[in-house]
Amino acid sequence: MAKTTRSKAQAVAVNAPQQDEAPVQQPIVTPESEAKGKPASHDTAPPPALLDFMMQGWKPQSGKAPPKLKNADAFEARRRALSKLFPGETLVIPTGHEKVRANDTYYRFRPGTDFYYLTGNMEPDCVLVLQPREDGGHTDILFVEPNPGRSDSTFFTDRVKGELWVGPRLGVKESQTRFGVHEARGLPELPSYLESLKGAATMPTRVLRGHSAKVDSAVPEHAERDKQLATALSEMRLIKDKQEVRELEAAIDSTHRGFEDVIRRLKQARSEREVEGVFNLRARVEGNDVGYGTIAAAGHHACVLHWTRNDGDIKKGELLLLDAGVEGNSLYTADITRTLPISGKFTKEQREIYELVLEAQDRAIDAVKPGNDFMEPNRVAMRVLAEGLYELGILKVKPEEALKDEHQFYKRYSLHNVSHMLGLDVHDCAQARQEAYKYGKLKAGMVLTVEPGLYFQKDDLTVPAKYRGIGVRIEDDVLVTKTGCRVLSEDIPRQTKDVEEWMKQIWSEKR
């Protein structure tokens, strides 16, 4: 056995370049970008003696099967539900690939949402195929990265796929066991499989597009049919099961702790970047990452809706708008906003605006109930804001005029609607049909945000000077129940007096 291994290593070494040549690429599977698998310019080629040495003296793999994925039955049920929607058709769902951050460094991989929803698999490059059976239903085929272990020198020489560079993959048989699919195959088999799908004699095929250029190019596009697959997956995800709600609750609890970390830091924090770093530490310690770019907007930066530069100063007497969410290890994300007085107390003007936004949020939450239009919480909140803006003297026309579709003058200060779906994506279910989502009815099991805001730009002459530069948003995550709703983030203080007391209590802690 040792002799065979030695020969294999030496065979690889025969073609190894000299030290002044670019090393030969030895990928296990050609990645999305051909350049990705090439050795870096600072690498040197391993000499034959080193390759020979590296192939020897490793403890044999245990051969023990990996444990079955937690909640594998839920993933299986989702595949069967999708199967019923497209009888007799081949469905191809890629997870996607690592993306370049700069030169030869890559962003941390996050699996494609729909692929993960159907499999629970977190590895890059994989593809799920639902292949129709003659007797009905589908066979699940999961294409995954093979893991040759120490039997192939690529574990050492391939900086893209090699175990010593990026860590081990599960492997083919192990993936079948882990994810409970009918069948698993190595990624090298995928091109020929996709090629076999071409031709008039084959059954119809749908592809979830936009995740893998190679998969997209391998299967002829049928735009409307492919779109229907993406739509079906989004609409399946509109209703969360009990396990999904538990995952969201866990992400919200971590987010709550992250907000408290920020409050502790606020007394000495000097920049928005510190706030971002403190929150993001909690996200990485307790979860997979942040669910989206943390918005740590102090002072007038709070009037920029997606302020993620986070390069401003933290100043006493101003507000900090923190819009942030922990993405749990299960990839479900929270999405919470609190607007905090940096000094621990709201000023008179800050309190006036905050409490108007809070009133709008309270009324919007009351409107979250099954049977109501998805847009009803928004309509309710906008009426409260328009009436409040009129009373403050900011809106010069009566609320009824400002609220008319042909006017919408209140939007100068509110800017956005108050809700979006939440789940595996922060803006979840984005491919759902308008009639099922934006213009649809709320149903038990949906989870949405409720997040009204008011934003008075520092240079807006229609706003009294005392309010300019104030931005307030309050956002909570809400589950539609059979009889109404439940605010999943209700433990995170939001009343002005509760926010002030919350901050005071945290600052008084002995550490």
Side-chain angles (χ1 to χ4, degrees), residues 55-131:
M55 294 296 293
Q56 303 177 50
W58 299 104
K59 183 179 179 180
Q61 293 180 331
S62 67
K64 185 178 179 181
K68 194 169 184 178
L69 182 70
K70 184 180 179 182
N71 303 313
D73 291 346
F75 294 102
E76 161 70 13
R78 295 166 192 166
R79 295 194 295 273
R80 300 287 67 80
L82 183 63
S83 170
K84 290 179 182 177
L85 294 176
F86 300 101
E89 301 188 39
T90 302
L91 310 179
V92 182
I93 301 106
T95 189
H97 310 278
E98 294 172 291
K99 291 180 170 56
V100 174
R101 181 182 184 275
N103 189 30
D104 60 351
T105 61
Y106 294 81
Y107 290 104
R108 184 182 299 114
F109 179 71
R110 198 271 195 190
T113 295
D114 292 309
F115 174 88
Y116 177 82
Y117 179 74
L118 296 169
T119 65
N121 187 336
M122 303 277 274
E123 292 185 351
D125 307 323
C126 302
V127 177
L128 173 68
V129 174
L130 269 58
Q131 179 177 277

Side-chain angles (χ1 to χ4, degrees), residues 128-142:
L128 173 68
V129 174
L130 269 58
Q131 179 177 277
R133 297 197 302 255
E134 291 185 3
D135 59 349
H138 288 79
T139 297
D140 307 330
I141 307 174
L142 184 60

